[in-house]
Amino acid sequence: QVQLVESGGGLVQAGGSLRLSCAASGRTFSSYAMGWFRQAPGKDAEVVAAMNWSGDTTYYADSVKGRFTISRDDAKNTVYLQMNSLKPEDTAVYYCAVDRTAFSVVAHEYDYWGQGTQVTVSS
């Protein structure tokens, strides 16, 4: 069992920045692929960014390329999402998730999910 706890969400003006953190329990964190997803009201969940276990492969949704950066610190069992140049359309609940078996950008292939953190970007 892996437990994930997100933090760092909040209210920010357009153009601002936030850094989300996701702390994971478990001794094998370094072997997991990690992903960040988001869900806005009335919309399906979408992948934002993902990183494989070693950190040498990443994926970004087109909508966030050049603005968001996913990173991980295995010593702290934590994955981050640095979000810059935020836009009102980035408003959503953001979730981190663990994929124990493979690198994926598909939500249903992830095994464990955090509770989510709200990000609201005002115009």
Side-chain angles (χ1 to χ4, degrees):
Q1 186 76 12
V2 177
Q3 293 185 326
L4 304 171
V5 179
E6 301 103 333
S7 61
L11 174 63
V12 64
Q13 289 187 331
S17 298
L18 285 174
R19 187 176 80 156
L20 305 184
S21 299
C22 174
S25 65
R27 292 177 291 177
T28 56
F29 174 83
S30 60
S31 65
Y32 299 151
M34 302 294 298
W36 284 97
F37 295 79
R38 68 185 180 187
Q39 187 167 24
K43 295 186 177 181
D44 293 334
E46 61 174 349
V47 61
V48 175
M51 173 178 280
N52 72 337
W53 69 273
S54 64
D56 62 3
T57 300
T58 57
Y59 169 88
Y60 294 95
D62 288 342
S63 58
V64 306
K65 279 181 182 177
R67 300 188 298 122
F68 289 12
T69 303
I70 187 172
S71 62
R72 63 191 298 159
D73 184 339
D74 291 340
K76 296 182 178 180
N77 278 15
T78 300
V79 63
Y80 303 97
L81 185 68
Q82 178 67 44
M83 306 186 295
N84 299 327
S85 303
L86 282 161
K87 304 176 181 179
E89 52 263 44
D90 294 318
T91 296
V93 178
Y94 283 70
Y95 301 88
C96 69
V98 164
D99 186 337
R100 294 178 299 169
T101 58
F103 175 68
S104 173
V105 298
V106 179
H108 72 257
E109 295 183 356
Y110 280 74
D111 304 292
Y112 299 103
W113 293 78
Q115 82 288 352
T117 186
Q118 177 70 47
V119 171
T120 303
V121 184
S122 63
S123 57

